[in-house]
Amino acid sequence: GENVEQHPSTLSVQEGDSAVIKCTYSDSASNYFPWYKQELGKGPQLIIDIRSNVGEKKDQRIAVTLNKTAKHFSLHITETQPEDSAVYFCAVSGSARQLTFGSGTQLTVLP
Amino acid sequence: GAVVSQHPSRVICKSGTSVKIECRSLDFQATTMFWYRQFPKQSLMLMATSNEGSKATYEQGVEKDKFLINHASLTLSTLTVTSAHPEDSSFYICSAVLAGRYNEQFFGPGTRLTVL
């Protein structure tokens, strides 16, 4: 089955700095790569996603890049704010439509 | 749009009792819903895939007789934890797939189950 690795597990940045979280996956047939933000006690919230026919996607301060050859994708958050502090999960999906999640990254933005 | 609700948000029960959790897609029809379990400081683990009008498909290691899933309509799936024990205490989250949005899953707010 699919194996997704996510790094780092914790990340602290100063407010205004950028944060980068990386994920690798094992199944070359995977074609959908979403990122979720989860705040304490809440369900995951989709913040950005990318499909295999696209290399990069941006939405305001958030961007995702995908390297299908190397089987890795990254989340980039620029101009971080304290409200960006949360746990971020990458996920991968293929033809089975099921999501396999990474282990999560606790992002802390220090004011 | 694409809002998913769960009820209840929190439940505390005694060991041996059964608990039902509802997952509803409020503004769309979902032919497929998923149920996840999340332990503290861990990732989401898929428990089962629920398809409207058919039996759920359970992931390896998930007891189908303990975690009963019913997807009776295009907007409602239920998860019943039967004869709950303290080790079943967890955060249960459902998601729903919007028709036409092939892989995209919309998640509910989760249900915190505590078994005493």
Side-chain angles (χ1 to χ4, degrees):
Chain A
E2 178 72 87
N3 183 43
V4 180
E5 294 190 1
Q6 183 172 344
H7 298 282
S9 57
T10 61
L11 178 61
S12 292
V13 299
Q14 288 294 137
E15 182 177 358
D17 287 350
S18 296
V20 180
I21 303 170
K22 299 181 179 180
C23 284
T24 61
Y25 60 98
S26 60
D27 189 350
S28 56
S30 296
N31 57 15
Y32 178 60
F33 309 90
W35 285 91
Y36 293 90
K37 176 183 180 181
Q38 186 178 30
E39 297 178 336
L40 191 63
K42 298 184 178 180
Q45 176 189 5
L46 177 70
I47 56 172
I48 196 166
D49 59 8
I50 193 168
R51 299 187 184 272
S52 59
N53 58 345
V54 177
E56 184 174 356
K57 183 177 178 180
K58 188 175 182 180
D59 183 4
Q60 299 183 335
R61 297 186 297 112
I62 296 173
V64 55
T65 59
L66 171 65
N67 183 327
K68 284 222 72 179
T69 302
K71 288 187 282 188
H72 68 70
F73 58 112
S74 299
L75 175 70
H76 304 254
I77 306 174
T78 59
E79 301 173 27
T80 54
Q81 302 166 3
E83 51 265 37
D84 293 329
S85 296
V87 178
Y88 290 81
F89 291 98
C90 66
V92 176
S93 177
S95 59
R97 308 177 80 183
Q98 296 172 343
L99 289 172
T100 301
F101 282 82
S103 54
T105 297
Q106 173 68 61
L107 173 64
T108 302
V109 179
L110 304 170
Chain B
V3 177
V4 177
S5 70
Q6 280 184 244
H7 179 79
S9 58
R10 289 177 174 270
V11 57
I12 301 172
C13 69
K14 293 183 179 180
S15 185
T17 60
S18 295
V19 174
K20 180 185 284 189
I21 302 170
E22 293 185 347
C23 176
R24 293 182 184 272
S25 55
L26 297 184
D27 50 2
F28 67 99
Q29 293 183 331
T31 55
T32 302
M33 291 183 172
F34 298 93
W35 286 95
Y36 296 84
R37 182 166 51 181
Q38 185 178 34
F39 292 107
K41 297 189 182 300
Q42 293 189 22
S43 188
L44 284 76
M45 296 301 296
L46 179 65
M47 298 176 66
T49 302
S50 170
N51 291 299
E52 187 266 336
S54 63
K55 289 185 178 180
T57 303
Y58 291 82
E59 294 300 299
Q60 191 173 7
V62 178
E63 301 173 57
K64 62 180 181 181
D65 294 331
K66 181 170 186 62
F67 298 100
L68 301 179
I69 292 172
N70 185 288
H71 194 158
S73 77
L74 289 172
T75 59
L76 174 64
S77 177
T78 60
L79 168 68
T80 301
V81 183
T82 63
S83 186
H85 291 285
E87 57 265 31
D88 298 323
S89 298
S90 189
F91 194 49
Y92 292 86
I93 309 169
C94 71
S95 70
V97 177
L98 176 60
R101 304 277 280 271
Y102 184 66
N103 303 72
E104 188 172 353
Q105 295 184 24
F106 296 91
F107 285 83
T111 296
R112 173 72 60 193
L113 170 63
T114 302
V115 184
L116 302 176

